[in-house]
Amino acid sequence: MQLNAPLDMHLHLRDGEMLENIAKSSAHTFSGAIIMPNLVPPVSTKDEVIAYKKRIIKAIGHEKFTPYMTLFFKPSYDKAFLESVRDEIMAIKLYPAGITTNSEGGVSGFDVEELRPALSAMSDLNIPLCVHGETNGFVMDREAEFVSIYEKLASAFPKLKIIMEHITTKESVAALEKHKNLYATITIHHLLITLDDVAGGMLQPHLFCKPIAKRPEDREALLQVALQAHPKVMFGSDSAPHPKHAKEACGCAAGVFTAPIALQLLAELFEKHNALDKLQAFISTNAQHIYKLTPLAKKVTLEKKPFKVPAEYNGVVSMYAGEEIAYSIKEITYG
Ligand code: NCD
Ligand code: ZN
Ligand code: ZN
């Protein structure tokens, strides 16, 4: 089967040595990706976005992948600043303070009036807002509790495109239907696993991420919209590499690394559910419409041939490391 211009609408490429070690896995099979800004310190000025994009392109070493850049949301962004940076970015990412990896400088309180200047300006300038939607409540309830904040923002800024990132619950799926301006990304791991896979047996640190995988009925709701390629959902891997020692540790870092196997796993999953004809929309066309982007031409051919996932990719352990998956990448062509 062939995929046209696969897009990853939520990706962590990190910086420094990690960037050098992992960027090529995404650039190999994807046409482009939305690059998350949660570096230390976060990407929050025009110069930082431009410099980070250059480092990414250098680490990749070719032009056959487009990094779509983002800024780390701050309520202090004003219209003049946003106008000046508009052409360098595809979106702005909002993190609740302290809720996930490197989000300490994020937002707390979610007071609409405090957020109004920045969010109105983004709405006027057609800059989408990507959100990590979790409260600091009980871990299994954080995303469902955040839905009321999504709804408050969606109503207060009806022209602002709000993307609910890496959704994991049936409540978020339901919110998609209620507000015209709410969209979502879904990861491959949240389509495959539940909390049982993370903590039901021996603890699996390489499946630990934020938001944590939820209940079977939540996964079912995600599968429903992904497999029909609901026009408001897109693939976003949230591939979030951490060094092996930071995952296999007392105090395991949150994040699942899936970039090198994401397309193969999606093909296997969509085939299993007789939905291979919907994968193109989920992996690219929906995102093109939502973000109004034209991706770089790239065709990825997958074949149903077992692939043994390596134990490590340059010091990073991916999902299903050492296991066999059903699909392999056969060929990649450009133009
Ligand atoms: C991400 C990371 O490591 O940067 N971790 C994660 O568990 N998903 C941050 C994020 O996307 O929330
Ligand atoms: Zn997140
Ligand atoms: Zn993420």
Side-chain angles (χ1 to χ4, degrees):
M1 71 144 328
Q2 199 174 61
L3 295 174
N4 240 319
L7 294 168
D8 183 348
M9 304 311 283
H10 182 134
L11 176 66
H12 298 272
L13 284 183
R14 312 301 194 203
D15 211 347
E17 203 186 332
M18 182 60 97
L19 171 65
E20 301 287 333
N21 284 341
I22 55 99
K24 288 190 176 78
S25 352
S26 291
H28 181 53
T29 50
F30 286 89
S31 254
I34 298 261
I35 311 301
M36 291 296 137
N38 62 332
L39 304 182
V40 188
V43 182
S44 52
T45 67
K46 184 175 175 176
D47 286 350
E48 284 166 359
V49 178
I50 294 172
Y52 185 33
K53 186 174 181 177
K54 279 198 184 133
R55 295 197 296 280
I56 292 170
I57 291 170
K58 185 157 174 274
I60 289 166
H62 60 73
E63 307 268 289
K64 288 162 180 152
F65 174 83
T66 314
Y68 301 110
M69 305 306 292
T70 63
L71 275 177
F72 189 101
F73 179 86
K74 288 185 177 171
S76 58
Y77 289 158
D78 61 21
K79 193 156 190 181
F81 168 70
L82 293 170
E83 263 166 1
S84 77
V85 78
R86 174 71 192 100
D87 292 344
E88 304 297 335
I89 58 172
M90 187 57 77
I92 296 182
K93 176 71 185 283
L94 186 155
Y95 292 89
I99 205 67
T100 187
T101 311
N102 304 337
S103 63
E104 290 69 23
V107 169
S108 33
F110 289 91
D111 177 55
V112 168
E113 292 321 309
E114 191 196 333
L115 302 175
R116 188 175 298 280
L119 295 184
S120 304
M122 285 174 61
S123 175
D124 292 347
L125 295 166
N126 287 316
I127 304 174
L129 177 76
C130 303
V131 181
H132 178 116
E134 288 193 286
T135 66
N136 55 11
F138 180 67
V139 67
M140 285 294 279
D141 299 334
R142 287 176 189 176
E143 184 176 303
E145 285 177 5
F146 199 89
V147 167
S148 62
I149 299 176
Y150 277 132
E151 296 206 12
K152 182 168 81 171
L153 296 177
S155 309
F157 306 96
K159 295 227 162 79
L160 176 68
K161 275 190 177 158
I162 301 175
I163 295 116
M164 305 187 284
E165 294 295 331
H166 48 44
I167 59 169
T168 63
T169 60
K170 57 183 177 6
E171 285 81 2
S172 295
V173 171
L176 273 179
E177 305 299 339
K178 284 217 249 163
H179 295 268
K180 213 170 145 261
N181 54 333
L182 286 181
Y183 301 84
T185 58
I186 304 180
T187 72
I188 179 62
H189 48 284
H190 290 120
L191 291 171
L192 290 172
I193 65 169
T194 67
L195 183 60
D196 244 12
D197 298 288
V198 187
M202 284 170 93
L203 192 65
Q204 301 300 316
H206 300 293
L207 298 180
F208 172 66
C209 67
K210 304 290 178 71
I212 192 101
K214 304 288 187 313
R215 309 181 66 87
E217 54 269 37
D218 293 305
R219 179 180 57 182
E220 197 49 46
L222 301 177
L223 273 170
Q224 283 273 336
V225 282
L227 294 170
Q228 69 179 63
H230 186 298
K232 295 176 93 182
V233 307
M234 326 164 246
F235 176 65
S237 71
D238 192 20
S239 179
H242 293 275
K244 184 177 177 179
H245 64 80
K247 294 291 290 175
E248 298 180 3
C250 173
C252 163
V256 180
F257 181 57
T258 52
I261 52 165
L263 295 181
Q264 299 91 313
L265 291 177
L266 281 167
E268 185 173 351
L269 177 72
F270 276 62
E271 190 212 80
K272 183 178 149 204
H273 292 274
N274 292 316
L276 270 180
D277 59 325
K278 295 288 195 271
L279 185 50
Q280 182 60 43
F282 182 62
I283 198 69
S284 187
T285 326
N286 288 356
Q288 293 179 38
H289 293 150
I290 295 167
Y291 275 95
K292 302 206 185 318
L293 60 84
T294 306
L296 208 114
K298 191 171 200 167
K299 285 194 174 69
V300 180
T301 309
L302 294 124
E303 61 181 336
K304 199 167 182 192
K305 180 176 148 199
F307 173 68
K308 175 122 189 275
V309 182
E312 279 182 36
Y313 287 90
N314 291 328
V316 180
V317 180
S318 74
M319 185 179 187
Y320 296 156
E323 291 178 43
E324 204 166 81
I325 59 177
Y327 273 80
S328 306
I329 305 284
K330 184 175 181 207
E331 192 186 18
I332 295 169
T333 56
Y334 304 96

